Amino acid sequence: MQTREFHSEWITIGDHRILFKGRDGFPSETMRFMAQIGVETCEAAQAREARVVAVTYFRNHQTDAEQWVVTIASTRREDQFIASRINNALQTIFQRGDRHVALYVIAKPGDVHAEDYNHMRHLSAEAHVLDA
C-alpha cells in the first residue's frame, strides 16, 4: 500500500546501493523492478564501474503525467552505452515514454587506495544523490 508521506528509501541489490525517491507514496514494485532491470543490465554488459544510484518518481498532478528516472553513475566513459541499453529495456517492457535513464559519468575516479574509499559512496556523491 502506498503512503503519501514517503520521500526516500535506500535499498541494496548486489553491489548497487540505490536511493528510491518520490513524492507520491511508498516505493512501489515498479520502482524495485526498474532498479533490478538497471542492475542486471549493468552486470550483463560487464560495466564493472557502473552502478544504479537512484530511481526517482515524479507526478504532475495537473496533467497526471508521470516520469521515472533511473540514475546510473560510473567512473568510466566507456560505460556511456549502458544508459541507452537500460532505457531501451524499460521502453520495451513498459511501452510508454515516461521512463528515462540519466547517466552520470564521473571523469575523476576516487582514491581507490584510500583506507575509507567506497566506490558506491563515491558514485552516489558525485551524482549528487548522496551528500559526501
Side-chain angles (χ1 to χ4, degrees), residues 52 88 100 119:
V52 178
N88 289 341
H100 175 71
H119 186 64

Side-chain angles (χ1 to χ4, degrees), residues 26-88:
F26 196 76
S28 66
E29 287 305 311
T30 301
M31 282 183 132
R32 295 178 199 287
F33 181 73
M34 291 172 67
Q36 187 69 41
I37 293 292
V39 168
E40 289 180 16
T41 303
C42 287
E43 291 173 359
Q46 297 181 356
R48 288 182 218 101
E49 300 297 317
R51 298 289 188 275
V52 178
V53 294
V55 177
T56 309
Y57 172 74
F58 304 97
R59 182 172 182 197
N60 183 327
H61 291 286
Q62 294 175 341
T63 64
D64 243 8
E66 296 178 332
Q67 183 180 15
W68 300 82
V69 178
V70 177
T71 304
I72 311 295
S74 179
T75 55
R76 296 183 50 207
R77 294 213 180 275
E78 297 83 17
D79 290 341
Q80 287 183 342
F81 72 94
I82 206 75
S84 64
R85 284 195 183 174
I86 296 169
N87 205 29
N88 289 341

